[in-house]
Amino acid sequence: MIYIIIVLLVIIIIMLMLYNIVINKRIKSYQNINQKVTSLNVLQDFMGTVGEDSSVDDKIVKINNILIEQYAIKYSTIVVFDGTEYVIKASNVDKKHWDTLRNLQNEEIFKDSITTAKPKYITVNTEEERLPYQKMEFGRAKSAMFFPLYIDNVYIGYWIIESGRMHAFDNVDTTILEVVKENIISIFKIVSYQNIVESIARQDLYSDLKTSEYLYEEGRKIIDKYTTSTVCMFKITNLEETNIEFNRDTGNQMIIDVCDYIKSKLSEEYLFVRYMGPKFAIVFSGIEIDGVVDFLKDLKKEVEALQVEDVVAEEENENSKSGKKKKVRMTSPKLNFILTTYYKGTALETILKKLEEYLDTAKADENDINNI
C-alpha cells in the first residue's frame, strides 16, 4: 500500500513539475508578447513625436521620456557629439551630475564598448560600492547599461540607462534594448535633416529678412495653423539691370527699399523671406488667393512708385571738395508676382520650387500678378 502511495506522490510531483514548466513557458511567451507590444507602442510614439511641430531638441527630450515611461527605466540619458563637444540632449538625471554623464567616453570601462559598438553592463555587488564613473555621488545608481550610438559606422554618442538597484539589468532582454537603441538612431537620422534646416536659416544682410529655410521649420508652425494659405513669390525683374546700368550699391539699396516698404504693410502672421537673389516669398497664412490679389495690386503700384537714387553718385556729391554736384539719376523697382494655394501638410518646398521656375522662365519684361 505504501508503495502505491509513493508512486502516486511521484506521479503527482512529476505532473506538477511538468505543469510548472508549461506555466513558465506561457509566462515567458506572454512576457515576450508584452515586450513586443511595448516596443511597437514605443516605435509608434517615436514616429508620432518625429511628426510633431517642435524643435529637434524638444523631440529628443520627448523620446527619452517615452523610453523612461514605457520601459520603467529609473534614469535615461542621451548624449551626442555635436562636432566640438559632447552634449546631453536628454536626461532625467539631476543636472549636477551632467558633467559626469557627458564625459563617459573618457571612462576606461566604456572605451571598449565604443570601439566594438557593443553595449556594456556594469553593476555593484554591495551597497558600499559605487560605479566606476561615479566621482562624487553615492546611492543614485547601482547598475547601468551603456549603448554606443553609430550612424553609418560613424560614432555619434551614447545612450545610458541606470538603476538605483544592484543587478537591475541581469535578466533584461538586451535584444529588446538593442531594438530600442536602433530606434533612437533612426530618429536621429530623421531629425538630423530637420536640425540642418533649423541651423542654416539666416538673416539676409540687405533685406533684413530670414532666408527661405525659415519657412520649412519655424515658419511652417505658423502656416500650418490653417488649412490653406496663399503662397506668393515675386521677383525684382530689373535688379540685375540696375546693378549693370547703375552699380551694385544702388541695386542693394533697391532691395532694402522694396523690403522695408513691403514689411511695413504685412501682418505678423504673414511670413516674408528672401528666397534667392532677386526673388522673395510671402506666405499669407490662412488667406485665400481672392483675398490677396487686390492687396497685391495696390502694393505693386506703391512699390513700383518708389524712387531709388544712384547711391554712388550721391556719395560722390556729398564728398565733393569742389562743391559742384552732379545730377543724380533715379530708378524704380519692377515686380513680377506669382501666386498659388498651399494646403496644410503638403510639400511647401515643392510649391516654392514651382513658383521659382515660373519666374525664372517668364519673359524678361513680364510685370504682372499671376496665379497657378
Side-chain angles (χ1 to χ4, degrees):
M1 184 67 179
I2 192 167
Y3 293 110
I4 295 173
I5 294 173
I6 292 171
V7 170
L8 287 173
L9 288 173
V10 170
I11 292 172
I12 291 171
I13 291 170
I14 292 172
M15 289 178 65
L16 287 173
M17 289 175 64
L18 292 172
Y19 178 75
N20 190 50
I21 291 171
V22 171
I23 291 298
N24 282 333
K25 285 183 177 179
R26 287 182 178 177
I27 290 172
K28 287 182 179 180
S29 176
Y30 290 141
Q31 286 175 338
N32 288 335
I33 292 171
N34 185 58
Q35 286 176 333
K36 289 178 181 178
V37 170
T38 299
S39 294
L40 180 59
N41 289 337
V42 168
L43 182 57
Q44 289 175 332
D45 289 342
F46 275 14
M47 298 313 295
T49 300
V50 170
E52 291 180 357
D53 286 332
S54 57
S55 69
V56 169
D57 288 341
D58 286 343
K59 288 178 181 179
I60 295 171
V61 169
K62 187 168 183 179
I63 285 167
N64 197 53
N65 291 336
I66 290 169
L67 295 174
I68 293 166
E69 181 181 345
Q70 292 284 2
Y71 290 101
I73 297 170
K74 180 68 174 177
Y75 302 112
S76 177
T77 302
I78 298 172
V79 180
V80 174
F81 184 64
D82 68 358
T84 58
E85 62 181 348
Y86 284 83
V87 179
I88 291 182
K89 288 295 186 179
S91 180
N92 66 327
V93 178
D94 193 298
K95 287 189 175 182
K96 66 184 179 183
H97 303 304
W98 281 20
D99 280 340
T100 297
L101 291 172
R102 70 163 61 92
N103 289 295
L104 296 183
Q105 74 284 347
N106 297 324
E107 295 293 331
E108 198 64 39
I109 196 165
F110 296 128
K111 287 183 178 179
D112 184 58
S113 174
I114 294 171
T115 303
T116 61
K118 293 180 179 179
K120 179 73 175 181
Y121 174 37
I122 55 176
T123 186
V124 298
N125 294 307
T126 66
E127 289 294 335
E128 291 73 29
E129 288 183 80
R130 61 182 179 185
L131 297 174
Y133 61 86
Q134 294 179 323
K135 308 300 180 186
M136 303 297 292
E137 52 183 310
F138 293 92
R140 183 183 69 81
K142 297 295 184 183
S143 51
M145 287 197 76
F146 178 92
F147 297 88
L149 303 177
Y150 280 79
I151 293 181
D152 299 330
N153 296 320
V154 177
Y155 173 66
I156 65 161
Y158 49 87
W159 171 44
I160 184 170
I161 58 175
E162 301 169 289
S163 172
R165 295 184 296 109
M166 295 182 289
H167 298 278
F169 304 116
D170 285 4
N171 299 313
V172 169
D173 187 348
T174 56
T175 304
I176 296 295
L177 289 177
E178 280 290 330
V179 171
V180 174
K181 183 197 76 172
E182 291 303 317
N183 287 337
I184 292 173
I185 292 170
S186 296
I187 297 305
F188 269 107
K189 284 183 178 179
I190 294 170
V191 299
S192 65
Y193 298 107
Q194 179 185 345
N195 199 33
I196 291 170
V197 171
E198 287 181 358
S199 63
I200 62 177
R202 294 287 185 269
Q203 198 84 11
D204 179 60
L205 177 62
Y206 297 108
S207 64
D208 197 32
L209 301 174
K210 296 284 188 183
T211 54
S212 61
E213 292 81 12
Y214 174 78
L215 293 178
Y216 307 134
E217 181 52 37
E218 290 300 315
R220 192 187 290 270
K221 296 175 187 177
I222 299 172
I223 301 167
D224 281 350
K225 291 179 183 177
Y226 307 93
T227 304
T228 60
S229 298
T230 296
V231 180
C232 159
M233 187 176 290
F234 70 87
K235 180 178 182 180
I236 304 177
T237 57
N238 63 335
L239 181 61
E240 185 176 355
E241 177 186 330
T242 301
N243 288 337
I244 295 171
E245 293 190 4
F246 286 74
N247 46 71
R248 188 166 291 276
D249 287 342
T250 302
N252 291 336
Q253 188 60 48
M254 180 179 285
I255 291 173
I256 293 169
D257 291 351
V258 168
C259 292
D260 284 349
Y261 189 87
I262 293 177
K263 275 189 291 186
S264 70
K265 298 294 182 178
L266 295 178
S267 162
E268 290 184 0
E269 280 288 291
Y270 303 156
L271 307 182
F272 184 23
V273 300
R274 186 167 188 178
Y275 187 77
M276 187 179 296
K279 296 183 287 287
F280 301 80
I282 305 173
V283 180
F284 295 91
S285 311
I287 305 297
E288 301 287 341
I289 285 182
D290 290 344
V292 171
V293 173
D294 288 340
F295 168 76
L296 288 180
K297 285 180 179 178
D298 292 338
L299 184 67
K300 185 175 184 296
K301 287 180 182 178
E302 293 164 9
V303 171
E304 292 183 342
L306 295 174
Q307 294 288 299
V308 182
E309 64 183 12
D310 184 333
V311 174
V312 173
E314 181 60 27
E315 288 178 351
E316 288 176 351
N317 282 342
E318 290 178 358
N319 297 325
S320 175
K321 294 180 180 179
S322 64
K324 294 182 179 179
K325 297 189 180 289
K326 299 179 181 178
K327 184 178 180 181
V328 177
R329 294 183 299 165
M330 308 292 285
T331 185
S332 296
K334 298 296 180 184
L335 309 182
N336 193 20
F337 285 83
I338 182 70
L339 313 175
T340 194
T341 299
Y342 165 76
Y343 297 92
K344 179 180 178 179
T346 57
L348 179 60
E349 62 276 12
T350 302
I351 290 174
L352 289 167
K353 190 66 178 175
K354 286 182 179 179
L355 298 181
E356 180 187 23
E357 289 173 355
Y358 177 89
L359 291 177
D360 285 344
T361 56
K363 293 180 180 179
D365 59 349
E366 183 174 296
N367 180 27
D368 207 345
I369 298 175
N370 298 292
N371 57 50
I372 57 175

